[in-house]
């Protein structure tokens, strides 16, 4: 239905707004906790929130044993590997640069979706991807056309992009079997199990300042409830309706919102090249979502 189509796109945008803020919240938490401890606690918060939500309102859905392997694979990609690479990438880059690199996910996803999911793209969709990519790259350079970022941070973030594409393929299969809330709930539980031993090991190398809870509790709760619960559920819903290629283009909005909120909060300046990049990203997103009338969501 037409109204439902609008809801799908609204869900995608809201998810990107929340994830745009996640780069800022993560940076704030990393001042006291190492990335693995941050992600583990984030997943604990998300799991507690989701469990209460699903069972209080009777929304829980039975998960078949035969599908646990697919859930385990999806959770291995994301949140486990993705959050590791993103977390350590953000530790060595700024929020805007980090979010801009992550925005390359929709440029890689169509290739994988074409190979594994047999999805097809129109020429207008491809134009949209290219325009968004140009906008994203403009946001990464300064007025002297110089790309300034930590090599280590960039490598970690590009690994996160590759892992996210693998997650998209797994998610495409899960959305045909379960509701978005169930998918997000189960993958958070499995992800939390994955992170527990790694958190214990990493604490020996990068001990966290857990006692300074007043400085990180608010952004940590925001990461758990809003980013790992609400945003992932909205994203799974949009993904199930739009498909891997079209849904992932919304990732291009992440650096846009990160840049805007970084500017509003006084964390990072919003220069003219970043403004131009934001405009191109939005234009590219609009082109990428154009489909023939008979194929509308």
């Amino acid at each position: 239905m037409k109204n439902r189509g609008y809801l799908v796109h609204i869900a995608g945008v809201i998810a990107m707004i929340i994830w745009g803020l996640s780069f800022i919240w993560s940076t704030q938490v990393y001042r006291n906790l190492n990335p693995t401890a941050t992600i583990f606690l984030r997943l604990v918060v998300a799991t507690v929130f989701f469990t209460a939500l699903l069972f209080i309102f009777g929304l829980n859905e039975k998960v078949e044993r035969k599908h646990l392997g697919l859930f385990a694979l999806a959770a291995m990609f994301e949140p486990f590997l993705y959050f590791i690479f993103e977390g350590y990438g953000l530790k060595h880059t700024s929020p805007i640069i980090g979010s801009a690199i992550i925005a390359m996910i929709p440029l890689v996803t169509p290739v994988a979706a074409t190979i594994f999911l047999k999805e097809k793209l129109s020429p207008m969709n491809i134009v949209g991807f290219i325009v968004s990519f140009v906008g994203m790259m403009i946001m990464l350079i300064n007025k002297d056309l110089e790309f300034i970022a930590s090599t280590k941070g960039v490598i970690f973030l590009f690994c996160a992009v590759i892992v996210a594409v693998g997650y998209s393929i797994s998610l495409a299969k899960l959305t045909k079997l379960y509701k978005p809330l169930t998918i997000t709930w189960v993958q958070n539980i499995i992800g939390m199990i994955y992170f527990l031993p790694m958190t214990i090991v990493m604490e020996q190398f990068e001990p966290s300042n857990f006692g300074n809870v007043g400085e990180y509790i608010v952004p940590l709760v925001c990461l758990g409830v809003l980013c790992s619960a609400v945003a992932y559920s909205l994203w799974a819903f949009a993904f199930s309706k739009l498909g891997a290629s079209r849904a992932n283009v919304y990732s291009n909005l992440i650096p846009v919102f990160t840049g805007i909120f970084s500017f509003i909060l006084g964390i990072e300046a919003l220069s003219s090249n970043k403004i131009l990049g934001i405009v191109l990203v939005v234009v590219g997103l609009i082109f990428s979502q154009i489909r023939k009338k008979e194929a509308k969501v």
Side-chain angles (χ1 to χ4, degrees):
M1 295 200 35
K2 192 173 182 180
N3 290 336
R4 189 173 180 80
Y6 282 116
L7 290 176
V8 169
H9 295 294
I10 290 173
V13 172
I14 293 176
M16 296 309 113
I17 290 174
I18 295 174
W19 282 339
L21 282 165
S22 75
F23 288 87
I24 296 173
W25 291 328
S26 295
T27 301
Q28 293 172 337
V29 179
Y30 291 158
R31 295 168 187 164
N32 292 280
L33 308 180
N34 70 50
T36 51
T38 298
I39 298 162
F40 174 70
L41 292 177
R42 167 180 173 172
L43 292 175
V44 169
V45 172
T47 300
V48 171
F49 171 79
F50 248 122
T51 302
L53 178 68
L54 292 176
F55 284 89
I56 289 176
F57 293 97
L59 300 174
N60 53 303
E61 184 179 12
K62 183 180 179 180
V63 176
E64 298 292 335
R65 185 186 297 270
K66 63 182 178 181
H67 297 143
L68 289 178
L70 184 56
F71 272 109
L73 177 63
M76 175 63 71
F77 284 131
E78 197 167 335
F80 186 61
L81 292 176
Y82 176 82
F83 279 168
I84 290 175
F85 291 134
E86 182 195 75
Y88 283 97
L90 280 177
K91 198 170 183 181
H92 298 284
T93 58
S94 71
I96 290 181
I97 288 179
S99 62
I101 294 175
I102 291 301
M104 292 188 68
I105 291 172
L107 301 171
V108 182
T109 300
V111 178
T114 300
I115 296 173
F116 297 104
L117 302 177
K118 309 303 179 183
E119 291 188 6
K120 296 182 179 180
L121 298 173
S122 70
M124 190 64 73
N125 296 152
I126 296 173
V127 169
F129 298 148
I130 295 173
V131 173
S132 285
F133 176 72
V134 172
M136 182 269 295
M137 290 304 297
I138 288 176
M139 295 176 70
L140 280 176
I141 59 177
N142 60 23
K143 61 183 180 181
D144 298 317
L145 301 181
E146 296 174 334
F147 179 80
I148 303 175
S150 161
T151 302
K152 182 187 295 185
V154 170
I155 291 174
F156 274 125
L157 289 167
F158 271 113
C159 287
V161 170
I162 295 172
V163 167
V165 174
Y167 172 69
S168 294
I169 303 302
S170 302
L171 183 60
K173 298 179 183 297
L174 285 173
T175 53
K176 297 177 181 178
L177 301 170
Y178 298 97
K179 297 175 182 177
L181 289 177
T182 302
I183 295 172
T184 309
W185 178 55
V186 175
Q187 77 175 33
N188 279 339
I189 292 175
I190 298 176
M192 185 174 62
I193 295 172
Y194 285 157
F195 267 105
L196 179 58
M198 184 172 181
T199 300
I200 295 174
V201 171
M202 290 307 298
E203 280 301 317
Q204 300 176 19
F205 299 97
E206 296 180 89
S208 298
N209 184 13
F210 292 101
N212 205 14
V213 65
E215 292 192 10
Y216 64 81
I217 187 62
V218 172
L220 179 64
V221 171
C222 288
L223 286 171
V225 175
L226 296 179
C227 299
S228 292
V230 176
Y232 266 104
S233 297
L234 292 172
W235 175 240
F237 169 66
F239 195 101
S240 67
K241 303 299 180 183
L242 297 174
S245 298
R246 293 180 70 216
N248 268 303
V249 175
Y250 276 101
S251 298
N252 281 7
L253 288 176
I254 294 178
V256 173
F257 292 124
T258 300
I260 292 173
F261 289 123
S262 293
F263 173 72
I264 293 174
L265 297 174
I267 297 174
E268 204 167 344
L270 195 58
S271 59
S272 58
N273 64 311
K274 289 189 175 71
I275 294 175
L276 175 59
I278 287 173
V279 172
L280 290 176
V281 165
V282 173
V283 171
L285 175 63
I286 293 173
F287 282 147
S288 71
Q289 296 303 312
I290 294 176
R291 302 181 72 181
K292 294 180 180 180
K293 290 184 177 181
E294 64 270 23
K296 281 186 178 180
V297 177

